[in-house]
Amino acid sequence: MSTHTRRNNHGPTSEEALGILCELIETLLNSISIDHPAEVSHLVEQMVVGCIAEFDVIPIPVLDEILKCIGNGPVIQVTNPEFVKVSAAIVNAKKNGNGNGKRRKKGEKLKLPKLPPMHVEQTNQSYVIAKRVITKTLDRISTPIANLLNGLLNGDNNVVRHSDISSDVPSMAPREKSGSEMTLTVTDCIPEPEKNTLDVWTIVFELHKVSPDILTTVIGTVANSLTHHTEEKRLRVTHLLGRLFCSRSSDIAVNFHPCYRKWAMRVFDPSLKIRQVMVDYLIAMLKEKPFATSICQEATNALVQMIIKDDSLVIRSLCIHRICEFVYHYGGDEEEVMRANNTLAPAPYISADLIRAVGDRVKSKTKKERLEAITGLAKIYNKHFIWNKIGNIQEGGEDCSIETIVKTVRENCNFSMFSQESKSPHHSGKKNKKRKQSKSPTPKTSREGGLHFPNRADDRYKFIPKLVFECSCIKDSVDPLLRTRIMTIIDDALLGNISLKSKNIDAGAKTNQMSPTSRAVSLTMIINYLQSLTDEDGDSKYAFLRALMMSRKKLQIALRSYTDARAKVESFPNGSIERTEANAAAFQKLEAVAAQVPPPSATTPPGTSSDDLSTVLNKLHSGAKDKHIFRCKLFSVLDEFAVLPLSARH
């Protein structure tokens, strides 16, 4: 600030002097770049530290200049020099024709170089200097910074009037997503503040990376706004605390446990937006803080509460999707997770309670929830249970030795129940009583290798087939497509056919399918598990399995009979009596196939035909011109219900 216009000899006032000093600090911090020598950076650091040391009470404007540099973050976007160079070359090429002063011939295409990115990331040297200044003057500067942030958060008029830092609630911009969601880290799906905004919320988040101790009183002030009457402020506070608690660079969630508990209660917030972001942050807690077991268990409990008690189908469905994706990608052993994700970070915290909470949605009255839960769990079962058991058989392929098959079956199946049943009948009552008491005990959880799971991985995923066949007891009149979908799940998810790939869950799935032998052994393990359950639980699920397989067998026989009868029609000349009789016989067999397929739903979707079953069958029977087209049409009608797995045939 210029002072040469002053007419007195006393120099500038204290306010003017402070303004000059702040301009100096701002110039020093903002002028430094990574191109300057290290000596220059060191001198700038010493000068700012010296300015701070001159004050008994550090003024707010001085703190503003330092905190602004911190708020801009450690990395900034700068103009790419290559972009400027190539842009100039393109302009010259367009102006000078081919670049040699000659005019382009008519129709000749001008070859232009490809533009590089307009901006590139660069280390923010101002941030580096400001961080060093705070570190060196921490004893003097920590309390003034905390008082400044608390004043801005509480709306203190005196602080707000003297500070240039905004205390308004900024708008939120969602992160851009590329590719599959789960190929990124969990926190990449979380919205962040818009760029080029400098406010107290952004500064608090960036400051925790520099010195979390400064935020000792600030975190409590932020948490007090979790119950603010406006949705916008509650949403912003929820975002800020979520990012702080999930950060790997500090243990704020552990050190401020009461604030973390208060934040976790936002799963019951009346705002749908806040509950949606809580799902992502709670999943992020399980991934980023695996060693903080108490924190992760509270996050698990909050997710379970959302799945069970949330009134919104949107939230429950989001929980199912996020949890299934999370467990699918991180639910293996620690070595497997580290190898799959190419990282040395500890494996995430995954509790059996979380998986069973998703399993409980199989009993939901909502069709969408039932289908999403059972499909996601079946894919998890295939990846983390089946493939771990039949790895040796899969490697052997079609020529796998019988010794390997027998060894795998013996290691993973329980045949003791059959030896008990073969004993003398007068002990059968005691045995049955014993068997009823032999419910699998509640697994004791342990902390091994960064994972929170029962001592045997089997206990986390082994129960999933029971849920699949539990769905088959739902009548066709309630959900006509569910039983058909279950057969597809058995083929494509439970037994490992990767033909039905989910864009979210199967981003990193194995590309090879199971061999017929592997599928047969897998089905054997499933059947054995259902047989080993208690009478009141296991027998019903095993009966459902048998009923499904028998109905599928009958349907395949009926379908094969129709395809043979229809092929026989083509052997007779057109217009002959024999062809007419054969055609009528084939149509009767098609009606027999339709009788074994679940009936269509009572409501007809808009824009679709409302023909009765006879009309539809006539169109199907007469519309297929050859065998290939016929199969495509019929399979679409049956929803792949007639494709019997090879393991079931054996």
Side-chain angles (χ1 to χ4, degrees), residues 375-414:
T375 303
L377 289 175
K379 291 180 180 292
I380 292 171
Y381 178 84
N382 172 259
K383 180 178 181 181
H384 296 302
F385 186 88
I386 291 295
W387 276 95
N388 289 338
K389 302 296 183 183
I390 50 89
N392 294 333
I393 297 177
Q394 186 69 13
E395 290 177 2
E398 295 294 340
D399 299 328
C400 181
S401 64
I402 189 64
E403 290 81 7
T404 303
I405 298 173
V406 172
K407 181 181 178 182
T408 303
V409 172
R410 285 179 175 174
E411 288 177 350
N412 298 287
C413 293
N414 178 21

Side-chain angles (χ1 to χ4, degrees), residues 231-371:
E231 179 186 3
E232 291 78 9
K233 189 163 187 177
R234 292 202 313 275
L235 179 61
R236 189 61 188 93
V237 172
T238 302
H239 274 297
L240 174 59
L241 290 177
R243 297 176 71 195
L244 289 171
F245 293 149
C246 295
S247 175
R248 290 184 177 180
S249 59
S250 65
D251 292 322
I252 293 180
V254 177
N255 298 332
F256 298 89
H257 201 178
C259 295
Y260 172 77
R261 288 179 177 175
K262 190 174 181 180
W263 171 80
M265 291 300 292
R266 289 302 92 203
V267 298
F268 301 111
D269 194 281
S271 170
L272 185 67
K273 291 181 181 179
I274 293 177
R275 301 204 304 275
Q276 283 178 323
V277 301
M278 283 299 298
V279 175
D280 285 325
Y281 281 118
L282 290 171
I283 294 290
M285 289 296 302
L286 302 180
K287 180 178 182 296
E288 306 295 342
K289 297 291 183 181
F291 288 119
T293 54
S294 60
I295 296 297
C296 289
Q297 186 57 47
E298 290 180 15
T300 298
N301 295 338
L303 284 169
V304 171
Q305 291 295 316
M306 296 185 81
I307 297 176
I308 297 175
K309 295 184 178 181
D310 201 288
D311 296 332
S312 172
L313 176 60
V314 174
I315 298 298
R316 298 197 304 271
S317 179
L318 179 64
C319 287
I320 292 171
H321 274 282
R322 290 288 189 267
I323 292 172
C324 287
E325 290 172 2
F326 176 62
V327 177
Y328 183 87
H329 285 274
Y330 301 104
D333 296 333
E334 183 176 22
E335 294 79 7
E336 178 188 347
V337 173
M338 293 171 62
R339 185 170 59 253
N341 295 281
N342 194 23
T343 178
L344 297 177
Y349 180 104
I350 297 177
S351 170
D353 298 337
L354 201 61
I355 304 171
R356 292 189 177 274
V358 177
D360 287 340
R361 302 318 300 162
V362 172
K363 303 173 184 178
S364 171
K365 296 180 180 179
T366 308
K367 297 179 183 180
K368 183 180 180 182
E369 278 187 277
R370 288 198 299 264
L371 185 56

Side-chain angles (χ1 to χ4, degrees), residues 20 68 151 191 210 229 242 248 301 370 397 404 504 519 576 613:
I20 295 172
K68 287 176 184 177
V210 177
H229 64 278
R248 290 184 177 180
N301 295 338
R370 288 198 299 264
T404 303
N504 292 332
R519 287 167 63 85
S576 64
L613 180 60

Side-chain angles (χ1 to χ4, degrees), residues 54-78:
E54 293 297 322
F55 293 98
D56 294 329
V57 179
I58 304 175
I60 290 178
V62 174
L63 298 175
D64 279 356
E65 299 304 329
I66 298 173
L67 293 179
K68 287 176 184 177
C69 296
I70 296 296
N72 288 326
V75 178
I76 56 174
Q77 296 279 340
V78 298

